[in-house]
Amino acid sequence: GLFAGESMFHLARDASKVALVHLVVVMNQGGFLLDVQWLTPHLESLGATIVGRDEYLRRLPEALSLAGPSVFTTG
């Protein structure tokens, strides 16, 4: 139920952006917590918001108790 992104890389231009958009869709469907480390204009355009430490720690146990998505598809 938690995905913490540290870095993005690609073999094709903007591939990491496509992968991130797909990840956001999958994570939103399950109500999972997607930790992007810091807010950038690009991440904000995808719906990222700042969550304070207390709120993050409140949400974390629930996120960790969720079964994450078992299969990612490339429809």
Side-chain angles (χ1 to χ4, degrees), residues 1 30 32 62-70:
F32 304 121
E62 181 181 349
L64 294 176
S65 72
L66 296 172
S70 59

Side-chain angles (χ1 to χ4, degrees), residues 13-70:
R13 181 176 171 86
D14 293 327
S16 63
K17 292 175 184 165
V18 173
L20 180 60
V21 169
H22 181 71
L23 178 63
V24 168
V25 169
V26 170
M27 297 298 280
N28 279 336
Q29 289 173 348
F32 304 121
L33 185 58
L34 175 55
D35 183 346
V36 296
Q37 308 299 312
W38 67 82
L39 187 62
T40 66
H42 175 66
L43 295 173
E44 192 170 27
S45 76
L46 296 173
T49 59
I50 293 175
V51 174
R53 178 181 170 80
D54 291 341
E55 179 68 12
Y56 183 87
L57 292 175
R58 186 189 70 72
R59 292 181 185 187
L60 189 57
E62 181 181 349
L64 294 176
S65 72
L66 296 172
S70 59

